[in-house]
Amino acid sequence: MANVTVNFIECKDKKPKPNADKIAFGKHFSDHMFVMDYQADKGWFDPRIVPYEPITLDPAAMIFHYGQTVFEGLKAYRTPRDRILLFRPEKNFRRLNLSSDRLSIPAIDEELALNCLKQLLKVEKEWVPKAEGNSLYIRPFIIATEPNLSLAPSQTYQFIIILSPVGSYYKEGIQPVRIYVEDEYTRAVRGGTGTAKTAGNYAAAYKAQERATKEGYSQVLWLDGVEKKYIEEVGSMNVFFKVNGEIITPELNGSILEGITRMSIIEVLKDWGIPITERKLSLEELYEAYEQGQLEEAFGTGTAAVISPVGELNWGERKIQINKGEIGELSQRLYDTLTGIQTGKIADTYSWTIEVK
Amino acid sequence: MANVTVNFIECKDKKPKPNADKIAFGKHFSDHMFVMDYQADKGWFDPRIVPYEPITLDPAAMIFHYGQTVFEGLKAYRTPRDRILLFRPEKNFRRLNLSSDRLSIPAIDEELALNCLKQLLKVEKEWVPKAEGNSLYIRPFIIATEPNLSLAPSQTYQFIIILSPVGSYYKEGIQPVRIYVEDEYTRAVRGGTGTAKTAGNYAAAYKAQERATKEGYSQVLWLDGVEKKYIEEVGSMNVFFKVNGEIITPELNGSILEGITRMSIIEVLKDWGIPITERKLSLEELYEAYEQGQLEEAFGTGTAAVISPVGELNWGERKIQINKGEIGELSQRLYDTLTGIQTGKIADTYSWTIEVK
């Protein structure tokens, strides 16, 4: 199925591209999108590239009522030599299927999906921004479309990919963020949907983010749902700490999303011979390390920011500053390495990038 | 705002009503629906009754990506004297706002919403089925509509009410259900969204339901997300147990949905002088009560079934039968009382019903 024919209906009225230095995240979309349908009796069918246009759904479509939906997020980068690169996109389609499994959504053919994405990017290659630090954000998602208020998995779905040119995450250089430890609201719990990239996890986090913002913090640090003791994620990112020369990141415990930046960072650290441990890490332990002067760096990882240094933590009223509120040496080196590989500026010794030709 | 003008665009092509004895739940919809829009700078505006028609949304609409959505479920009943009754509808709009608060969705005017629902029901009164046991299921819901992939609450929403004629839940008399105790998957945890009626909670439950069905059981019993020890809900219903003459239901602990049938059952039991306790109840305690011959009845409560007797529980391989797998005397009395009030067959001494005139 991976070499199936993708129908193409060309958009008549091409949109102007947004001004490179004024791009707001997630508000501009390219001229075309990819769509594929699913019916229980036919499987996935009719892959097509069509003009970017509204979706029309029955008001009883299951996506509106029972939340059967999954998504992914990745980027296409333009290199200085005008090549277009994707960073480990097969991992995104792998994870999309893992998310789908949790949400009782039928799997897609991962190879087919990647081929279709490449075809869409060929059509839309002018939409991959040229400006330094900018990129084309790619949002694949699946929604349940059957009009039926019964509590059961949908019999029909749509798989859609939309593209959005985005600006540099760090317009004025990397700014470490101040983090508020959330101890009331819960992002996810074992047996729940925390390991899946599904809509419901995200809106559920807004209340905590609201409070953090009100208190003057930019992100939330999430604790585990069971004991409210162990560190899980920061905002919608995975999180790493450098303690006395060792890097520690929370282990994949059944409620943490397995980030593709996370797995790449771990591989790079191992490659560099820097000790990296995936394990349970309590806030109490982290604060003790701080007291002993051993907490050297902290950073979130994700597709949007790649590396987001943490400059301050506030747990109750226990505020600590990490690395004088500045980006650490290792954080910077990891950022330069990952973004260098993604944008083709340094050699991709890991074979992580795929060129769209 | 509660007496605002509701615009009305009449549907040209009226649909045939479904055959009374062949109605599948949630698959038939009436000729009109209610819609109201929200913009951050205008609040809720343009309440209108329009033909039932597809919703058209940008593929980047936030409902598809971050799950900002809430819903309600209630019914309109036709009495033997042809009056149309709603059962405690103000509680549904109250709960809708509580759910919205958790999902960072702006509140609606509850009185206005109820008035709009009544106007919609006047237009659609022929859609309230006449057949014994049938009713008109009402589904109010709110969806985030802003086209924006940023992780932040939407600036625009739609509030929609659709109507669906439904058959009797018990076509062949009340059949007690067999319940499978789920000890891997989690429905909700304190600090999560379990108390809100929001889409993400429902799709998350399909995996467990799948397994229960495979094992030959019709519903899942959910345990608390923290200790996996205490009883929370059954399927998408609240649950009650009769132990040695006393009725016990799990207390509202921050992860259980506060059912309107649940609160009504509690009031009726108090009125009847039957001891009713809301408290933590572990499965272990319940199984001990069974061993001692004290577990007399068990039943789920919800809008769809009103009372759903539990005839069997399977926890690991510990299977127990309750009341010989038959509906208990109290369960039957509660069912007759609630449905009697809802359908106007017995006097509504609680003033719970509201007539649509």
Side-chain angles (χ1 to χ4, degrees), chain A residues 52-306:
Chain A
Y52 185 93
E53 64 192 0
I55 301 174
T56 297
L57 291 171
D58 194 284
M62 286 176 149
I63 173 66
F64 298 133
H65 304 276
Y66 305 130
Q68 239 195 323
T69 179
V70 293
F71 73 90
E72 271 301 324
L74 67 162
K75 286 175 173 178
Y77 308 86
R78 190 180 290 275
T79 75
R81 292 183 168 190
D82 241 11
R83 295 159 67 219
I84 291 171
L85 298 183
L86 291 168
F87 183 75
R88 314 187 84 179
E90 72 285 358
K91 297 285 182 199
N92 291 93
F93 291 114
R94 183 82 274 272
R95 187 172 62 185
L96 188 71
N97 270 345
L98 294 175
S99 299
S100 287
D101 180 65
R102 180 63 185 85
L103 276 298
S104 305
I105 292 173
I108 53 164
D109 179 323
E110 295 168 26
E111 202 187 327
L112 169 85
L114 181 50
N115 280 348
C116 293
L117 169 60
K118 285 187 198 165
Q119 292 193 45
L120 177 64
L121 288 171
K122 271 180 228 169
V123 171
E124 300 292 68
K125 60 178 182 293
E126 290 308 311
W127 281 92
V128 183
K130 293 183 170 62
E132 172 78 22
N134 291 14
S135 57
L136 186 65
Y137 184 79
I138 299 162
R139 169 57 57 90
F141 63 108
I142 299 175
I143 52 174
T145 55
E146 187 190 346
N148 187 344
L149 299 182
S150 299
L151 266 176
S154 180
Q155 298 296 298
T156 62
Y157 299 87
Q158 273 200 323
F159 171 50
I160 299 171
I161 306 177
I162 56 176
L163 305 175
S164 174
V166 296
S168 172
Y169 194 86
Y170 296 112
K171 288 185 186 70
E172 294 155 13
I174 301 183
Q175 301 290 336
V177 292
R178 300 171 62 237
I179 302 284
Y180 184 87
V181 178
E182 175 58 48
D183 51 16
E184 182 190 345
Y185 293 110
T186 306
R187 193 196 80 89
V189 70
R190 61 178 176 194
T193 57
T195 57
K197 226 168 155 65
T198 184
N201 292 343
Y202 293 81
Y206 290 163
K207 282 295 268 193
Q209 180 62 47
E210 232 172 69
R211 181 154 67 190
T213 305
K214 206 168 157 187
E215 302 281 335
Y217 291 82
S218 62
Q219 300 265 6
V220 158
L221 184 141
W222 296 105
L223 297 175
D224 75 284
V226 176
E227 298 182 64
K228 287 285 185 191
K229 195 171 152 186
Y230 298 99
I231 297 166
E232 297 226 323
E233 298 190 15
V234 163
S236 53
M237 294 184 286
N238 295 119
V239 65
F240 289 74
F241 300 93
K242 185 168 173 236
V243 178
N244 199 21
E246 180 199 3
I247 316 297
I248 306 165
T249 191
E251 65 186 353
L252 301 175
N253 60 352
S255 54
I256 291 174
L257 188 81
E258 186 175 7
I260 291 155
T261 311
R262 176 187 184 278
M263 70 175 75
S264 305
I265 295 285
I266 291 170
E267 290 179 53
V268 169
L269 288 169
K270 283 182 179 166
D271 189 37
W272 289 351
I274 294 173
I276 159 76
T277 314
E278 298 174 66
R279 65 169 170 90
K280 273 181 156 185
L281 176 65
S282 72
L283 254 187
E284 201 58 56
E285 181 188 343
L286 192 76
Y287 269 66
E288 268 168 34
Y290 170 82
E291 298 298 340
Q292 291 162 19
Q294 300 188 332
L295 176 54
E296 296 156 354
E297 299 186 31
F299 55 93
T301 67
T303 295
V306 184

Side-chain angles (χ1 to χ4, degrees), chain B residues 46-64:
Chain B
D46 194 13
R48 57 201 186 270
I49 292 169
V50 295
Y52 185 94
E53 64 191 2
I55 301 174
T56 298
L57 291 171
D58 193 284
M62 285 175 149
I63 173 66
F64 297 133

